[in-house]
Amino acid sequence: MCGRFRNLQTWSNLYGDLQRFLGPVTQAAVNLEPREQVRPTQTAPIVRMIDGAVGVTNARWWLVPWFHEGTLKDWKATNSTPGPRPSRPRGRTATASSEGVA
């Protein structure tokens, strides 16, 4: 999982979008620092319902997939690394026959 995204939204832009789509928002301003890369396990701003009203808060960005069978502490978010190279040909050479007919 590559798992990075950009957060270049300022509070005034986000507040304007919330007002346009959801109506009046009564939350105080939140300090949103623009970040070029937000990685898994870092905090990121989210929009959610807080006490029956729309609110913006920071939360840890992570995902434990449904197929994980251990505890939350057992989950490690790692990028996959390629294994050994396959011995079979790939791409165009994989479809070419030994007689030279593609």
Side-chain angles (χ1 to χ4, degrees), residues 84-98:
R85 295 186 67 189
S87 59
R88 298 187 308 252
R90 291 182 164 209
R92 188 166 193 270
T93 58
T95 59
S97 67
S98 60

Side-chain angles (χ1 to χ4, degrees), residues 11 15 18-19 22-27 54-56:
W11 172 249
Y15 186 79
L18 290 173
Q19 291 265 354
L22 302 173
V25 177
T26 59
Q27 180 173 345
V54 175
V56 178

Side-chain angles (χ1 to χ4, degrees), residues 4-102:
R4 294 183 184 181
F5 73 93
R6 295 170 63 182
N7 177 29
L8 302 178
Q9 192 78 291
T10 64
W11 172 249
S12 60
N13 291 343
L14 181 59
Y15 186 79
D17 291 343
L18 290 173
Q19 291 265 354
R20 196 170 357 181
F21 291 111
L22 302 173
V25 177
T26 59
Q27 180 173 345
V30 176
N31 184 15
L32 296 180
E33 297 177 13
R35 295 192 325 209
E36 194 60 40
Q37 290 192 12
V38 180
R39 296 171 177 87
T41 71
Q42 291 181 328
T43 59
I46 61 169
V47 177
R48 66 181 184 144
M49 295 296 287
I50 302 172
D51 298 328
V54 175
V56 178
T57 186
N58 285 318
R60 184 175 180 208
W61 177 46
W62 66 312
L63 169 70
V64 177
W66 61 268
F67 53 82
H68 176 66
E69 295 179 353
T71 65
L72 290 178
K73 287 186 175 188
D74 293 339
W75 174 250
K76 303 291 183 220
T78 58
N79 288 333
S80 62
T81 57
R85 295 186 67 189
S87 59
R88 298 187 308 252
R90 291 182 164 209
R92 188 166 193 270
T93 58
T95 59
S97 67
S98 60
E99 288 112 26
V101 179

